[in-house]
Amino acid sequence: MRVLLIGANGYIGRFVADRLLADPAVQLTALGRGDDADVRFDLATGSPGALTRFLDAVHPGVVINCAGATRGGARDLTRHNTVAVATVCEALRRSGCGARLVQIGCGAEYGPSQPGSSTAEDAVPRPGGPYGVSKLAATELVLGSGLDAVVLRVFSPAGPGTPAGSPLGRLAEAMRRAMQAGDGELKLGGLGAQRDFIDVRDVARAVHAASLSAAQGVINIGSGRAVRLRDAAAVLARVAGFGGALHELDAPPMGVRTSVGHPRTESDHGMHSPPAAYPYPDGCGSWQQADVRTARDRLGWRPRINLEESLADIWMEAACRI
């Protein structure tokens, strides 16, 4: 099976590449902006025609798109997450390769949900920020393309390679600094949000399964269990061997965005401040939990790696910086 992987150097893409390279039945070609890609191509600026010519030459059976941006202004997010996907869809429509498309979406497309609920694929998406909007627009392009396509809505990926700027990455870095300085306590803000964390290696397994399946539409990829950030911080402290005290600071005033996991000073929060509207910087409010029954039923996929193992791997990478 010939597979074209877009975004092989990204956080999820690296693990998808490893998973596919371990399958002797897969012939993998990586397309991206970096020098180490098999083919250099920028989806945000390249034309559908140029990509079509490449598709016709390589003739892949599956195209997996892991490329995209998680940070930046609305214009950059739209260019890298929406316009880029429009280019992929148009190129596949023009090409004679007839490839199946596996698009990596995200849980942020759903936006805030009711605490205690599990979000299924038929929920009406109401993204709470420009990132979720740009990813939802990409999903709609894929679903309306007429292609043989599936969108995997990945919730909160965790594990090795977790970006330092992500909430769990910031937690690990704050703990590393505290241990390096010999601090007996760690004060953190913005730990009240609850998210569905899924190990990035389990995500790669889901992508592999989706590339081999006939499933179409949207499929959630998550653990099916929401975890409070403060509980994740406690687990991280245990695996790190941090014997100090964890103190959660008050939430900032409405309209003030906090960086989850960053230590805060007294000037960063006011007395008797109400909770922030979106304490976790993805526009999804205080709660998000995936309903993952569709992934089980249509892909034969279940998560295998628990959060403690994911956090241990995050800490191992952070500890190497001590």
Side-chain angles (χ1 to χ4, degrees), residues 8-181:
N9 287 328
Y11 174 35
I12 292 176
R14 291 195 299 272
F15 289 92
V16 172
D18 289 344
R19 178 77 185 184
L20 294 174
L21 287 170
D23 184 346
V26 170
Q27 179 181 337
L28 183 64
T29 301
L31 181 147
R33 292 180 291 172
D35 292 336
D36 52 351
D38 296 321
V39 178
R40 292 190 64 183
F41 189 87
D42 188 342
L43 290 178
T45 58
S47 71
L51 184 56
T52 299
R53 289 191 290 275
F54 173 72
L55 291 172
D56 287 340
V58 174
H59 214 77
V62 178
V63 173
I64 301 172
N65 183 27
C66 295
T70 58
R71 289 175 176 77
R75 177 176 294 180
D76 285 339
L77 290 169
T78 300
R79 186 158 57 93
H80 291 290
N81 294 338
T82 310
V83 174
V85 172
T87 298
V88 172
C89 290
E90 181 59 25
L92 282 169
R93 278 196 297 263
R94 295 182 188 182
S95 173
C97 69
R100 171 173 172 78
L101 174 61
V102 179
Q103 165 71 13
I104 305 303
C106 70
E109 296 175 41
Y110 289 116
S113 57
Q114 186 68 28
S117 66
S118 292
T119 303
E121 290 85 356
D122 59 358
V124 177
R126 294 186 176 89
Y131 172 64
V133 169
S134 68
K135 293 294 287 186
L136 176 61
T139 291
E140 294 300 329
L141 285 169
V142 171
L143 297 181
S145 66
L147 300 169
D148 173 13
V150 62
V151 177
L152 302 183
R153 275 192 179 142
V154 178
F155 277 61
S156 297
T162 293
S166 70
L168 292 180
R170 288 196 293 267
L171 281 174
E173 178 62 15
M175 197 163 293
R176 182 194 70 80
R177 290 181 180 180
M179 294 177 70
Q180 190 173 28

Side-chain angles (χ1 to χ4, degrees), residues 20 22 25 29 54 67 69 143 177 192 249 258-259 268 276 288 298 305 319:
L20 294 174
T29 301
F54 173 72
L143 297 181
R177 290 181 180 180
L249 300 175
T258 176
S259 295
D268 291 327
Q288 197 171 56
R298 301 178 66 188
I305 301 173

Side-chain angles (χ1 to χ4, degrees), residues 158-160 199 201-202 235-236 238-239 304-316:
D199 194 275
R201 291 160 291 193
D202 279 335
V235 173
L236 186 64
R238 184 171 70 249
V239 300
R304 293 178 180 172
I305 301 173
N306 61 38
L307 182 58
E308 182 166 351
E309 183 175 343
S310 301
L311 289 169
D313 288 328
I314 292 172
W315 174 249
M316 184 178 296

Side-chain angles (χ1 to χ4, degrees), residues 266-292:
E266 294 300 320
S267 62
D268 291 327
H269 62 95
M271 295 295 290
H272 310 298
S273 300
Y278 298 115
Y280 190 98
D282 59 0
C284 293
S286 62
W287 172 276
Q288 197 171 56
Q289 178 174 283
D291 182 330
V292 293

